[in-house]
Amino acid sequence: METAKREREDRPRIYVASLSDYNGGTLHGRWIYADQGADEIYWKIQEMLAESEEEIAEEWAIHDYDGFGNVHLSEYEDVSRVAELAALIAKHGGLFASLAAHFGGTSGIEDAQRYMEEGYCGAFDSLEEYAEQFVDECYGSEIEKLPEFIRYHIDYEGIARDLELNGDVFTIKHGHQVHVFYGNV
């Protein structure tokens, strides 16, 4: 039961406020889970506005948000983009939020989705660890033929640095790991 509660709390959500109430000096709004469809979010916004005590409550804005990692949402962010981003975060986890932030937030959803699906190489303790795995996968049988004292001197740190500097890969730090993505997908 505790795990289910924690998962619900981790879902991306937005706090939508009635601007008529806000301008009238009253805080009136609602937290809405953003990983549902845009139509459902709009319905919940309309429901919140209908509960307002202001005579005319039609305008609203996003005044807070949670579960979007380091993606910045504006007050007037397109709800369909917010819902799309939130659904992908719910599907892929917080790493997707970091990847989306790398590509510009809601404007980079398509790029983030493409790289998540086609360019993700995995999670590693360091880029050097990825480079070692990469070299082993590509040249493992040839490297095994080398004397051990030569294999010992392979500069995986330098290889990792060159892979990143040449644009062959880029990294996203999320949690305590480095997530590696191909540079061009």
Side-chain angles (χ1 to χ4, degrees):
M1 188 67 152
E2 185 65 32
T3 303
K5 184 179 178 184
R6 193 173 316 119
E7 286 174 9
R8 280 189 66 109
E9 291 171 359
D10 289 344
R11 289 173 58 194
R13 59 190 187 138
I14 55 176
Y15 182 81
V16 180
S18 163
L19 293 181
S20 296
D21 289 85
Y22 183 78
N23 291 334
T26 304
L27 294 178
H28 175 70
R30 175 181 292 175
W31 280 102
I32 301 170
Y33 286 112
D35 59 344
Q36 51 195 325
D39 290 342
E40 182 70 17
I41 294 171
Y42 280 122
W43 183 81
K44 294 210 183 277
I45 292 170
Q46 293 307 314
E47 192 178 70
M48 178 272 301
L49 291 172
E51 295 168 357
S52 170
E53 293 186 15
E54 289 293 317
E55 195 170 310
I56 299 174
E58 299 172 335
E59 296 179 351
W60 54 273
I62 299 171
H63 280 188
D64 201 359
Y65 50 91
D66 190 28
F68 287 89
N70 51 357
V71 171
H72 173 74
L73 299 179
S74 74
E75 285 185 313
Y76 303 104
E77 199 76 51
D78 182 315
V79 168
S80 61
R81 301 294 284 174
V82 170
E84 182 180 7
L85 176 59
L88 289 164
I89 292 170
K91 177 181 178 182
H92 296 291
L95 172 60
F96 190 84
S98 297
L99 186 59
H102 174 81
F103 285 109
T106 58
S107 64
I109 292 172
E110 290 79 13
D111 287 332
Q113 187 172 14
R114 187 174 71 251
Y115 276 88
M116 191 78 213
E117 293 172 359
E118 300 172 20
Y120 185 54
C121 301
F124 301 88
D125 290 333
S126 66
L127 186 55
E128 182 179 343
E129 181 184 340
Y130 167 77
E132 189 171 351
Q133 178 182 309
F134 173 78
V135 169
D136 187 51
E137 287 175 1
C138 294
Y139 306 103
S141 60
E142 288 84 11
I143 290 176
E144 288 297 319
K145 296 175 187 173
L146 296 171
E148 190 173 324
F149 76 93
I150 293 176
R151 287 190 307 232
Y152 177 76
H153 290 284
I154 295 175
D155 182 9
Y156 292 110
E157 184 179 344
I159 293 168
R161 184 180 53 250
D162 287 350
L163 285 169
E164 194 166 36
L165 289 174
N166 290 335
D168 297 316
V169 298
F170 68 90
T171 60
I172 300 289
K173 292 182 176 139
H174 180 75
H176 298 289
Q177 293 191 299
V178 173
H179 297 265
V180 180
F181 295 85
Y182 293 123
N184 293 315
V185 174

